[in-house]
Amino acid sequence: TQRISVDLSVTLRSCLNKMPNQVVIALGSNIEKERNLPRAIELLREMCVVTAVSPIYETEPVGLLNQPNFWNTAVLIQTDLTASQVKQQIIGPVEAKLKRVRLPDKNAPRTIDADIVLFNEAVFEYDGGDGRFRPVPDPDLAKFPHVAVPVADLLPNLPHPETGEPLGELAKRLLAEMVKEYGRSSLTKI
C-alpha cells in the first residue's frame, strides 16, 4: 500500500510539473498610451499564449504627479518559461519594441511598463537579467489599486500568495483606503 501511494505521488508530481506556468503581467503606459498599451498586448499575443486581459483603467500617476495619467491593465499568460526567462525573453523585448527608456526616477513617464505580478501561486525572487532580483508576488499588488484592481479582474478568488487575502477583496480594500485618504478613487475604467 505504501509503495503504490509513493508511486502515485511521484507520477502526479511529474504530470503537474509539465503544466504551463500561469503568469500575470501588469502593463502601464502614459506616453502615447492609446497606441502603446494595445500594442503591448498585441506583442504579448505574438510571443506567448494570452488567456485573459483585464479591462483598461485610467489612473493618476504615483510619486511623480506632474505627468499624464496612466492606462493600466493586467494580462494572464501561460508559458513553460521561468520567471527570469519571461522577463528577459518576453517583457524585455516588448519594452524594447515600444522604446521604453528607464530614467533615474522610477515614477517617470514611460511608453510601457511591464512587470511580473504573479507566477503561479508562488513566492520567490528571480533574476531580471540586470543583476537585480525581483520579488514575486510584486509588492505593488498589495499596495496600489492600479495594480490590484486589474489583477483582481482576472483572478478575484485567488488568494494573495503571501497574505492569503482573496485578490478581489484586496482590490476592494485598497480602493476603499484610497477613497478614505483622498476622498475619491483615481481609477476609471476605459
Side-chain angles (χ1 to χ4, degrees), residues 76-95:
L76 179 61
I77 69 167
Q78 286 185 343
T79 182
D80 292 326
L81 299 176
T82 66
S84 293
Q85 291 169 326
V86 168
K87 176 67 175 168
Q88 295 169 34
Q89 297 174 27
I90 296 176
I91 290 175
V94 167
E95 289 184 333

Side-chain angles (χ1 to χ4, degrees), residues 54-88:
S54 77
I56 294 172
Y57 293 87
E58 183 165 18
T59 62
E60 294 178 3
V62 173
L64 184 61
L65 303 179
N66 190 19
Q67 62 178 314
N69 285 351
F70 280 82
W71 277 11
N72 294 96
T73 192
V75 180
L76 179 61
I77 69 167
Q78 286 185 343
T79 182
D80 292 326
L81 299 176
T82 66
S84 293
Q85 291 169 326
V86 168
K87 176 67 175 168
Q88 295 169 34

